[in-house]
Amino acid sequence: AQTVTQSQPEMSVQEAETVTLSCTYDTSESDYYLFWYKQPPSRQMILVIRQEAYKQQNATENRFSVNFQKAAKSFSLKISDSQLGDAAMYFCAYRSTGNQFYFGTGTSLTVIP
Amino acid sequence: DTAVSQTPKYLVTQMGNDKSIKCEQNLGHDTMYWYKQDSKKFLKIMFSYNNKELIINETVPNRFSPKSPDKAHLNLHINSLELGDSAVYFCASSEWGRDSGNTIYFGEGSWLTVV
């Protein structure tokens, strides 16, 4: 099975500042998808952003963007202009060609007012 | 309209009891999943079904038995509940092999507490 590693259990950022969450993965596949999900205290899983491995251009969704380095198998999430509502657990996820999703252990993000 | 709905949302029960969690998706997806999220918030796949057929059965005690009556439903039955079964159980769905965004959609979770 593929593995997804998030090496930062906890991160903090000042409101309005920028923070980057790290994610690496291990795979032998060439075609796959990567995701970042946000989980607030309500535990609802919310899709933040999605990246297709065959696309070289990094995905962007408003204040959220990724730095996808396919050769390095790295997929980091950058949050710009951090807001209090961004405080949550963030999970990196990998979708295999077999339509299975593997999740990292999560990074808990605190936003400091 | 809720895309993936699961019931109950909260469940408190005694050790040794048997309980079920129901899940339904109205997205027309053909793949459904059960994930378990423990107190450390690790999200682990338990089962995966594609068109009612079991695809993945991770190392899960056989006290856990999924049932998929049709591709829109995937229920989870748990026998002889133990304290360690306390967790949040997420149902999810996605579309197999088609570029529908290839995204997995989650229900709101079922919070199971075994006392």
Side-chain angles (χ1 to χ4, degrees), chain B residues 39-102:
Chain B
S39 58
K40 294 183 179 179
K41 298 196 176 179
F42 296 155
L43 200 61
K44 294 183 180 178
I45 180 72
M46 299 175 68
F47 303 102
S48 170
Y49 271 74
N50 178 251
N51 280 321
K52 303 190 300 176
E53 297 296 324
L54 180 64
I55 302 298
I56 279 187
N57 181 356
E58 291 292 325
T59 307
V60 176
N62 57 16
R63 298 182 295 103
F64 291 79
S65 53
K67 286 192 177 177
S68 182
D70 55 62
K71 69 176 189 178
H73 296 83
L74 180 61
N75 304 322
L76 183 65
H77 187 75
I78 314 171
N79 291 326
S80 302
L81 279 156
E82 301 177 357
L83 293 177
D85 297 332
S86 296
V88 182
Y89 292 85
F90 285 96
C91 178
S93 74
S94 73
E95 187 69 11
W96 183 285
R98 185 171 66 89
D99 190 3
S100 61
N102 291 286

Side-chain angles (χ1 to χ4, degrees), chain B residues 14 29-32 34 37-38 47 50-51 53-54 71 74 78 82 86 90 105 108 111 114-115:
Chain B
Q14 290 187 325
H29 289 164
D30 56 10
T31 306
M32 295 186 72
W34 278 109
Q37 187 174 43
D38 60 22
F47 303 102
N50 178 251
N51 280 321
E53 297 296 324
L54 180 64
K71 69 176 189 178
L74 180 61
I78 314 171
E82 301 177 357
S86 296
F90 285 96
Y105 295 86
E108 294 185 335
W111 298 55
V114 182
V115 296

Side-chain angles (χ1 to χ4, degrees), chain A residues 81-105:
Chain A
D81 186 25
S82 297
Q83 300 175 359
L84 295 178
D86 295 333
M89 195 78 163
Y90 286 82
F91 290 95
C92 178
Y94 173 102
R95 177 195 179 272
S96 70
T97 53
N99 203 32
Q100 299 307 317
F101 291 79
Y102 301 92
F103 289 82
T105 50

Side-chain angles (χ1 to χ4, degrees), chain A:
Chain A
Q2 283 73 13
T3 56
V4 178
T5 302
Q6 293 178 249
S7 59
Q8 306 155 316
E10 297 177 344
M11 290 284 285
S12 61
V13 61
Q14 292 281 348
E15 195 175 2
E17 296 296 312
T18 296
V19 65
T20 298
L21 308 184
S22 301
C23 173
T24 59
Y25 56 95
D26 183 28
T27 185
S28 58
E29 297 177 335
S30 59
D31 188 19
Y32 49 87
Y33 291 80
L34 297 163
F35 306 82
W36 279 97
Y37 279 84
K38 170 185 177 181
Q39 188 180 46
S42 67
R43 295 281 190 126
Q44 184 180 1
M45 293 288 284
I46 303 166
L47 175 67
V48 175
I49 200 165
R50 177 180 63 235
Q51 175 78 42
E52 298 166 80
Y54 66 86
K55 288 188 177 179
Q56 293 185 343
Q57 186 174 6
N58 289 325
T60 299
E61 289 287 342
N62 300 314
R63 298 181 294 107
F64 299 87
S65 62
V66 300
N67 182 4
F68 174 48
Q69 301 290 329
K70 191 172 184 180
K73 297 179 183 176
S74 170
F75 182 62
S76 60
L77 174 69
K78 185 172 81 172
I79 306 174
S80 304
D81 186 25
S82 297
Q83 300 175 359
L84 295 178
D86 295 333
M89 195 78 163
Y90 286 82
F91 290 95
C92 178
Y94 173 102
R95 177 195 179 272
S96 70
T97 53
N99 203 32
Q100 299 307 317
F101 291 79
Y102 301 92
F103 289 82
T105 50
T107 297
S108 178
L109 178 66
T110 299
V111 180
I112 303 168

